Amino acid sequence: MAAEAEVIDELHRLRARVPQLTGALAASVDGLVLAQDTPGVDPDGLAALTAAALGVALRVTDATGQGDFRELLVRGVHGYVATYAAGGTAVLTLLAQDRVNVGRLHLEGRRAGTRIGELIEAAAARAEPAPQTPAVKAPAVKAPAKAAAKSATTRTRTARAPAKPRSTTNARTTTTES
């Protein structure tokens, strides 16, 4: 991966900002290690376990209608394992001591996850071959005038007129709202 050195640098900076971190790993959602700084922990095993936990977390968020996956926190007797989304194809897993400030862990983990996702996506964009330019230029497709006009207009907020009182009636009462 072209961004591996940049991702490792981000992991090192993250560990410097949060001294209670004992490890940091960037992995694909499929469980492949992209970059790691996990002394004393098998990075391949951690990446595979992260992918399994991610699969369960995705099912839980989907089943409960909570939206897309953002993060997962596991607390053990000796510390925390936190996993954060890092773009659409990767995750960031952090290992932390039990005395870590969890708010700080989340703040820094979210920021680093966003940054790592950007690095990985930029590397993927650079790795894709440039589109071939055709020898014969195809005619340009014009957008409908209505859509072009709509996208060109600037939206602003205007003050609303005060609401008129409204009466509602049910079998027992009449209410006037203002």
Side-chain angles (χ1 to χ4, degrees):
M1 179 176 90
E4 183 176 3
E6 294 171 313
V7 173
I8 289 174
D9 287 344
E10 182 64 31
L11 295 179
H12 288 248
R13 285 192 300 272
L14 174 62
R15 289 196 62 193
R17 290 190 307 265
V18 184
Q20 295 82 18
L21 287 182
T22 58
L25 168 103
S28 70
V29 293
D30 299 332
L32 301 174
V33 176
L34 301 175
Q36 60 91 16
D37 182 12
T38 56
V41 176
D42 174 33
D44 294 319
L46 181 58
L49 288 170
T50 297
L54 177 63
V56 172
L58 289 171
R59 291 189 64 189
V60 169
T61 57
D62 186 45
T64 58
Q66 300 302 317
D68 294 336
F69 170 80
R70 293 288 183 247
E71 58 198 46
L72 172 68
L73 181 68
V74 177
R75 182 177 182 202
V77 174
H78 301 292
Y80 295 87
V81 179
T83 301
Y84 302 92
T89 60
V91 291
L92 169 66
T93 297
L94 304 177
L95 309 175
Q97 299 170 353
D98 63 338
R99 60 188 179 90
V100 71
N101 178 323
V102 178
R104 178 73 186 265
L105 176 68
H106 283 320
L107 176 72
E108 296 294 345
R110 291 170 186 152
R111 285 180 179 168
T114 299
R115 176 73 178 132
I116 289 169
E118 291 168 353
L119 292 171
I120 291 169
E121 289 169 3
R126 286 190 304 260
E128 291 178 4
Q132 298 285 334
T133 55
V136 177
K137 188 173 181 180
V141 178
K142 291 186 178 182
K146 191 178 206 181
K150 187 174 184 179
S151 65
T153 60
T154 306
R155 296 185 66 184
T156 59
R157 292 185 175 221
T158 57
R160 291 185 181 186
K164 295 179 184 175
R166 193 171 49 150
S167 294
T168 57
T169 304
N170 65 20
R172 295 184 218 167
T173 62
T174 300
T175 307
T176 303
E177 297 175 353
S178 53

